[in-house]
Amino acid sequence: MRLNIILLGPPGCGKGTQAKMLTEKYHIPQISTGDILREAVKNKTPLGLEAKTYMDSGKLVPDDVVIGIIQDRLKQPDCEKGFILDGFPRTVVQAEALDDTLKTMGKKIEHAISISVDEEELLRRLTGRRTCRSCGAMFHILFNPPKKEGICDKCSGELYQREDDKEETIRNRLNVYNQQTAPLIDYYQKKELLRTIEGVGKIEDIFRKIEEVLGENEAS
């Protein structure tokens, strides 16, 4: 059974951590749109060079270019047993284009897993992050606090809250995610591929829930 997985979830839900654990257990690659775009640009592939012209001028890379780059990536031998798409698709239009692309390759999405976390919990996780101005070390005022408040354990540099980690910025990011992704969740629900996992608790417990979902899907 192939494990062709789409991982959905808002910023701060722990999606990246779970994707890494899935990669280690099932030996399938985690495919992040940002990573493969950068890789295609670095390798100067035809689609990578096309993407670069948009990126250099600060524009969004068009869907057809992104889909083409993802198609190239999915043809690699390490995707034979499956793959985890992280950060793509972001819209229903992209999801439909992905389905068409996979169909031509004789593949399909087997699992759409949505990691759900309450917005206030996401804010607690994301606004608590602190970064050292000197060495870049990361701390969290609740989950990984420094020994001395506001001071880096490693180099005694000043800890600060990045603009990206401020409440207003995070609320905006969550709003954008919700606007884009609500229709996407509906899309995969109609296809009976969506499984929602509660992303609160120990990392290992959340991973166990995902394993159970994959087991259910494989048995059905």
Side-chain angles (χ1 to χ4, degrees):
M1 177 84 181
R2 278 181 183 166
L3 289 173
N4 298 337
I5 301 168
I6 286 174
L7 214 47
L8 301 167
C13 74
K15 193 168 71 227
T17 301
Q18 296 300 327
K20 282 183 178 63
M21 291 171 76
L22 284 166
T23 293
E24 284 167 18
K25 170 152 190 183
Y26 296 105
H27 307 291
I28 55 175
Q30 175 188 1
I31 299 172
S32 152
T33 322
D35 289 348
I36 59 169
L37 272 172
R38 283 187 288 273
E39 190 69 18
V41 169
K42 185 178 136 193
N43 293 336
K44 297 183 178 176
T45 67
L47 284 166
L49 292 171
E50 190 178 343
K52 189 176 188 296
T53 62
Y54 291 97
M55 291 159 79
D56 286 348
S57 58
K59 294 176 183 170
L60 283 175
V61 180
D63 285 354
D64 59 335
V65 178
V66 177
I67 285 280
I69 288 172
I70 285 176
Q71 187 173 23
D72 287 349
R73 179 65 186 87
L74 296 180
K75 286 176 181 171
Q76 300 300 315
D78 63 343
C79 293
E80 273 308 304
K81 290 182 184 175
F83 52 81
I84 305 157
L85 279 176
D86 175 7
F88 187 89
R90 289 185 186 274
T91 63
V92 170
V93 170
Q94 290 180 349
E96 289 169 344
L98 176 66
D99 284 347
D100 291 343
T101 296
L102 289 173
K103 195 173 180 181
T104 64
M105 299 169 70
K107 296 182 179 184
K108 62 178 181 175
I109 294 301
E110 315 282 352
H111 320 275
I113 297 171
S114 174
I115 300 177
S116 171
V117 179
D118 172 80
E119 188 163 306
E120 291 310 309
E121 171 63 18
L122 291 172
L123 283 166
R124 198 167 72 99
R125 291 181 188 182
L126 296 171
T127 58
R129 295 196 294 208
R130 297 293 182 270
T131 307
C132 175
R133 286 192 191 277
S134 302
C135 72
M138 300 282 287
F139 295 87
H140 194 286
I141 56 173
L142 296 174
F143 310 124
N144 178 32
K147 289 172 187 164
K148 190 174 178 183
E149 190 179 342
I151 304 293
C152 176
D153 291 355
K154 296 180 180 178
C155 74
S156 299
E158 180 197 353
L159 298 182
Y160 77 108
Q161 187 182 39
R162 299 181 315 166
E163 284 299 320
D164 281 0
D165 296 332
K166 289 187 175 171
E167 184 171 336
E168 187 182 351
T169 309
I170 288 164
R171 282 198 189 275
N172 286 339
R173 283 170 65 199
L174 292 174
N175 285 340
V176 169
Y177 176 83
N178 289 333
Q179 285 165 15
Q180 287 182 336
T181 311
L184 202 56
I185 284 173
D186 191 45
Y187 178 81
Y188 286 113
Q189 203 149 23
K190 282 176 181 166
K191 287 179 168 282
E192 299 183 353
L193 292 174
L194 187 78
R195 299 290 182 274
T196 301
I197 302 290
E198 192 69 31
V200 179
K202 291 182 180 174
I203 290 168
E204 296 78 11
D205 292 341
I206 296 165
F207 186 66
R208 207 165 294 123
K209 290 178 198 169
I210 293 174
E211 285 181 305
E212 284 169 15
V213 160
L214 296 178
E216 284 170 12
N217 281 4
E218 285 173 358
S220 62

